[in-house]
Amino acid sequence: MKRILLLTLILILAGLTLSLDLKKDKVQFKKGVVLINKTEWALHEREFASNRDYLKTLDGSDFMSISHHSYLNGKYDANGKALSDHYQELNFYNDEIGTFEIRSYRKQIVRRMNNMQVLSGSIINWENVKEFKTKYSENVSERRFLTK
């Protein structure tokens, strides 16, 4: 009886884990386009020299940039190599919203913006952008350990 109960529990947990993975949107940055589940979501331009990404609506209007930053966090791995933390600085091209920091990678940022319906086709919902900023904004640069 215990084996059947344990097997049932394992199958239920495996099913839940599988269903959570299926709900996760697949984000890809390919050939100047951001794809979510193989559907065009925005246009993309990468500038490697400044480590910055620029996002545009599907009709070509600039609406934001993502700057990648990293800093040493004061921790070391087993080999004595210094470890760093990463964060992104988001700059929405709207005076009310401006620039803020978030501790996420670009795919996760796009996934979160899509879930909050920040961009729909070529229309930017600035109220949802404000809500996005309120929900995810962190002042990461204040917590820098070795770079201050």
Side-chain angles (χ1 to χ4, degrees):
M1 185 68 177
K2 287 182 182 181
R3 288 182 185 172
I4 293 173
L5 199 58
L6 183 62
L7 182 62
T8 305
L9 184 61
I10 290 171
L11 289 175
I12 289 172
L13 289 175
L16 286 174
T17 304
L18 187 61
S19 67
L20 290 175
D21 287 341
L22 292 176
K23 291 180 182 179
K24 185 175 176 181
D25 292 326
K26 183 174 182 179
V27 176
Q28 296 174 304
F29 289 79
K30 284 194 170 182
K31 297 180 183 175
V33 178
V34 179
L35 302 170
I36 299 179
N37 298 327
K38 297 183 181 179
T39 303
E40 289 185 357
W41 184 76
L43 301 178
H44 170 258
E45 187 179 319
R46 177 93 171 147
E47 189 176 285
F48 289 100
S50 64
N51 218 359
R52 184 172 291 185
D53 293 282
Y54 298 96
L55 295 181
K56 301 177 182 184
T57 61
L58 291 175
D59 67 357
S61 302
D62 290 325
F63 74 95
M64 76 173 293
S65 67
I66 303 173
S67 301
H68 177 77
H69 298 279
S70 63
Y71 60 94
L72 298 176
N73 62 13
K75 298 177 184 174
Y76 298 88
D77 66 9
N79 297 324
K81 181 181 175 191
L83 299 176
S84 60
D85 281 339
H86 305 273
Y87 68 97
Q88 313 298 326
E89 183 179 86
L90 306 183
N91 182 16
F92 283 92
Y93 304 141
N94 181 310
D95 292 336
E96 291 181 36
I97 296 160
T99 302
F100 62 97
E101 298 168 351
I102 183 170
R103 179 173 260 148
S104 296
Y105 288 99
R106 29 179 224 166
K107 285 185 179 183
Q108 189 176 21
I109 291 168
V110 168
R111 206 173 279 123
R112 287 176 174 175
M113 287 194 309
N114 183 52
N115 289 341
M116 294 191 73
Q117 299 173 347
V118 166
L119 179 65
S120 177
S122 293
I123 300 170
I124 304 161
N125 186 329
W126 293 109
E127 290 303 315
N128 289 356
V129 174
K130 289 178 190 175
E131 190 177 320
F132 177 84
K133 178 180 180 179
T134 302
K135 186 172 183 178
Y136 295 112
S137 178
E138 294 182 58
N139 201 350
V140 182
S141 60
E142 278 189 358
R143 293 189 294 225
R144 290 183 178 187
F145 178 75
L146 297 175
T147 57
K148 283 252 175 184

